[in-house]
Amino acid sequence: MPIERDELECFLLLAEELHFGRTAERMRLSRARVTQLVQRLERRVGAPLFVRTSRRVALTGLGRQLRADLAPHHRAIEDALDRAAATARGIEAVLHVGFSNPLTGEIVMKATEALRVSHPGLAVEVCEVPLADPYGQLRRGEFDVQLTEFPVREDDLDGGPQLLAEDRVLALPAAHPLTARETVTREDLADVPLLTLAGEVPDYWLEHHVPARTPSGRPIERGPGVLNLQEGLILVAAGRGALLAPAHTATYYARPGVAYVPFADPEPTGYGLVWRLGHDTGAVAAFARTAREITA
C-alpha cells in the first residue's frame, strides 16, 4: 500500500524535530494525530521507526534508513510543486531575507545560490537586520523571513527549529586584566561595565545579551548604549566597557585595542528562521528547506 502524504510529512518532520509536541505545532495538528500518523506508517512498514521514552525520541536504524531514502524524493516533489505553482501564477516571486550578522549572512547567501538552481523563478534579496531593532523590519513587511539569533518569544512571529549554535566571546579593552584569562564566566561580568543595547529590544533579548546580574546575584554595571556592533567595538577600544558577542566576531572584527576572550557560556547563541505569523508562504518554505539542508 503506498504511503500517504500526511504520513510522509509527519515522519520527516518528527525525524527532524525528535519531539512530538514541536512536530504537532509545525503540522498544526494535535499530538494525538501525530502519534496516529506515525503508528499508521509503522504498521505499513511492519517495524518501529522511532524509539520513544518518557524523556526522548530517537530514530531506529530502520527509521534512519527510511529518512535517508525518502527525504530527497520529498524535497524533489515539493520543489516541483512550488515551480508548477509559480508557473501557473505567471509571476516572478521576490523573497526579502534578513540576516543578523556575518555568520548568518554567509548562510543566507549560500541558500540564495542554491535556490537559483532549484527555484529559478524565485529572486532573493538580502539585507542586514539592525542590531537595535531585531524585529521591526520583519513586522513592517520589509523582510519576508530572517535568519536571526534566538531566543525569539514574540506572539506575532513564527519560525522554524534552531539551525545552528555558537559560543560567545567577551570583547574587552586590550589592557583590561581579564584579557589574561583563558576564559571568562558570567561572574566575571561584575568586574567590567557591560555595554547595553539601545533601541527597540525586548527585555528577554536584552537579558540574554546584557544580563543584569551574575549567577551569585552580584549586579553587572551597565555601560553606554549602542545601536550597532561597530559602535560597540569603538567604545570597547576606548575603554568604556565590554561587549558580549558571538564567537565569530573575533574573526570578522579583529581590531586594535580590542581583545576577545572565550566566554564560558551556559547559553550559547542559537540561530533560526523567523517570519510573521501566518506568512509562511511557499517561497518562505522553500528558503527554510534550503537553509536546513545547508546547515545540516
Side-chain angles (χ1 to χ4, degrees), residues 28 138 154-160 273-278 280:
R28 294 181 170 82
L138 182 63
E154 305 296 305
D155 293 340
D156 59 335
L157 301 181
D158 200 357
L273 291 170
V274 182
W275 52 82
R276 296 187 304 285
L277 190 66
D280 48 341

Side-chain angles (χ1 to χ4, degrees), residues 75 78-83 86 92-93 112-124 282-283 285-287 289-290:
R75 286 195 297 270
E78 293 296 316
D79 291 345
L81 290 172
D82 288 344
R83 287 193 295 270
E92 294 293 321
T112 298
E113 291 299 319
L115 284 169
R116 286 180 181 172
V117 177
S118 63
H119 292 70
L122 177 62
V124 180
F287 188 89
R289 285 196 304 272
T290 304

